[in-house]
Amino acid sequence: PADSRLDVAGLCIAALQRSGREAEAAAFFENLQTIDAALADRLTRKERDAAVSGVIAAIDEDDLVAATRIARRLISIPPGAVGGSDSIGVAASATLLDWSWLFAAANRPEDASRLLKRILDERPDAADALMLEAILQGGRLSTRPQDDPARAEAALRTLARITAGTNRSEQIWWRCEIERLEILHQLGRSLDRIAPRIDRLRAERRDLGSEAFRDRFDRLRTRLNQSTR
């Protein structure tokens, strides 16, 4: 059955990657494209969906090491993806956004930004694309410390655009809020207002949007307490 073959192919690639044989995993996939292009396409979509979910979850948890590992492992499989954003041809916005998250997590912000531009040129108010743009602007995924206040300010403006069109029943609103408060802390701005804001939000919703967000709010609250001692 096709589903069994899909599972076997995925397991083979995963086993090769776990043993550090990335080149063989890529070759396996390339051969699969030749033998059964439809199965290879299904495998790509299945693996990409799982990788993107894992990357976003890791980024929400601020576990950037895990996000990078997941993204790089996926990018190493499809031959075109290794070449960067220019090799991603005509695709739906959702597919472009998936690759944007993967490139961003793999420390390839230029590739991610080029794909985001393609999405936002067609859908300027696409909240999901704007969210990733704000994260990139804020510098949280960068391997180097963010030392550009102008980009941090741009991130705050982008986050404000998103929250203007969302509400607290949506997870993206909470994702925006923790990013916003972390950036303000990074800029050293409104420090006396951040802790009370967190406390008010916790009174409204104890999980602060999700367990991952709650942990980040808690860590930020702890840093604020330490800095005022």
Side-chain angles (χ1 to χ4, degrees):
D3 286 344
S4 296
R5 290 187 293 122
L6 183 68
D7 291 340
V8 169
L11 288 170
C12 288
I13 290 174
L16 289 169
Q17 289 180 319
R18 280 196 299 271
S19 60
R21 296 153 69 184
E22 301 287 349
E24 290 179 56
F28 180 99
F29 181 81
E30 198 165 359
N31 288 335
L32 183 62
Q33 284 184 309
T34 302
I35 298 167
D36 192 334
L39 184 65
D41 182 61
R42 286 185 63 202
L43 178 61
T44 299
R45 283 184 278 116
K46 180 181 178 182
E47 294 294 322
R48 188 179 69 236
D49 288 347
V52 171
S53 294
V55 160
I56 293 174
I59 289 174
D60 281 347
E61 294 168 3
D62 209 24
D63 187 349
L64 305 187
V65 172
T68 300
R69 183 180 65 250
I70 295 167
R72 287 181 173 172
R73 181 175 293 170
L74 190 285
I75 287 173
S76 71
I77 300 175
V82 179
S85 58
D86 292 339
S87 63
I88 307 297
V90 177
S93 291
T95 300
L96 293 178
L97 184 62
D98 283 351
W99 284 113
S100 298
W101 279 106
L102 293 169
F103 282 129
N107 298 319
R108 294 168 64 172
E110 294 82 5
D111 284 317
S113 294
R114 280 193 286 270
L115 293 180
L116 287 174
K117 183 177 185 304
R118 288 169 59 181
I119 298 170
L120 293 170
D121 281 348
E122 290 190 8
R123 299 167 53 220
D125 296 320
D128 44 10
L130 288 171
M131 185 71 245
L132 179 54
E133 183 176 68
I135 292 173
L136 289 171
Q137 290 168 332
R140 190 159 66 86
L141 302 186
S142 176
T143 55
R144 294 174 294 180
Q146 170 66 276
D147 57 0
D148 186 351
R151 286 187 62 79
E153 293 287 353
L156 291 173
R157 290 193 295 273
T158 303
L159 292 168
R161 285 182 62 190
I162 300 168
T163 53
T166 57
N167 59 65
R168 299 182 193 197
S169 67
E170 300 174 72
Q171 190 179 53
I172 194 170
W173 189 94
W174 295 91
R175 184 177 287 122
C176 284
E177 187 64 6
I178 182 56
E179 292 287 340
R180 185 180 75 86
L181 295 180
E182 287 174 339
I183 290 171
L184 288 173
H185 181 258
Q186 170 190 308
L187 292 171
R189 194 189 335 169
S190 303
L191 296 182
D192 59 329
R193 299 180 182 179
I194 297 175
R197 173 69 170 171
I198 294 173
D199 294 341
R200 286 195 299 273
L201 291 172
R202 193 189 309 276
E204 290 181 27
R205 182 167 169 175
R206 293 189 64 182
D207 72 348
L208 292 164
S210 75
E211 184 177 346
F213 298 151
R214 184 189 63 205
D215 289 345
R216 283 170 62 194
F217 277 112
D218 287 346
R219 289 197 296 272
L220 177 56
R221 189 74 166 79
T222 298
R223 291 199 298 273
L224 286 163
N225 289 341
Q226 292 171 343
S227 64
T228 56
R229 287 176 182 172

